[in-house]
Amino acid sequence: LKGIQTICCQPLDTVFKLFSILTEEYVSIVLVCVVYWLINKRVGVYMCYSLTTSLLLNNTLKNIFLRPRPIGVEGVRSIYTDTATGTSFPSGHSQSVSSMYISMARGFNKKWLYILTAAIALLCGFSRLYLGVHWPSDVIAGLLLGTAAAFLAPYAMDSKHKHIITFATAVIGTVLCLFIEDKSLVTAAGLSTGFAVGMLLEEKYVRFSTDIPIKKKILRFLVGVVIVAVVYLAPKFILPSLPIIRYLRYAALALCAAYAAPLVFIKLKI
């Protein structure tokens, strides 16, 4: 880790901060929604299941291993530490970026996209080392686990038992929250629950298509972002910061993105 940090300089600080931002919560929400609403619903489902499952696994493992971060270790330069929450192993950023971006490549099955997303995942992982917030083994484990989730997600979501799988994942995540006090785990469990319910309702009552003109796609994006932003932000400023509120907030967010927003699109004919 100290050897990697010998290349540190101000321009690279900015570059690798930007790569870490690619896995921030709001970026992930927007990217998954854009793919799901506008480009390819099936691939969006892959991305969402891969990401939420990966988040559940990651935060469970963090609470099992409880490995300290390198922040504060003599000779290690740590910056952008506000993105380093919880324990160190495995790296949440590395696991999230590989699960989300590589599942997108897996869904579209384009060679150039595999190359691009693999490069993004590796650079995001490297950024966590450069920034001094993870050990190398944290990043390697995160990348491997995220990639595994990305390749397994299509098998789960193309199965005739996909709804059983999504609800089972949500139940497991919710039960884990009863034994592990961790807000990131609560977030993941809430997202899993909302996604499971939303996907079932969308498939039964909406069945929207992404095959629409570009003008309608732009309008759909704008309407969808407003809906999701309200559901995402309003409870944060209005309701108390309790685990159950956080769980319900993220469940509502996923439910809105998967079902409520598409329902509005159909009603508005966009």
Side-chain angles (χ1 to χ4, degrees), residues 207-227:
R207 292 184 174 272
F208 75 97
S209 171
T210 57
D211 187 18
I212 57 174
I214 186 65
K215 288 183 180 180
K216 286 191 174 184
K217 287 191 177 188
I218 294 171
L219 185 57
R220 178 181 285 190
F221 174 74
L222 295 174
V223 171
V225 165
V226 170
I227 294 171

Side-chain angles (χ1 to χ4, degrees), residues 15 33-34 37 55 59 70 84 93 104 128-129 139 148 161 166-167 186 190 215 226 231 235 242 262:
V15 169
C33 286
V34 165
W37 294 340
L55 287 171
N59 288 290
H93 281 71
M104 179 171 62
R128 305 307 286 169
L129 302 177
V139 170
H161 303 299
T166 54
F167 275 95
V186 171
K215 288 183 180 180
V226 170
V231 174
L242 298 171

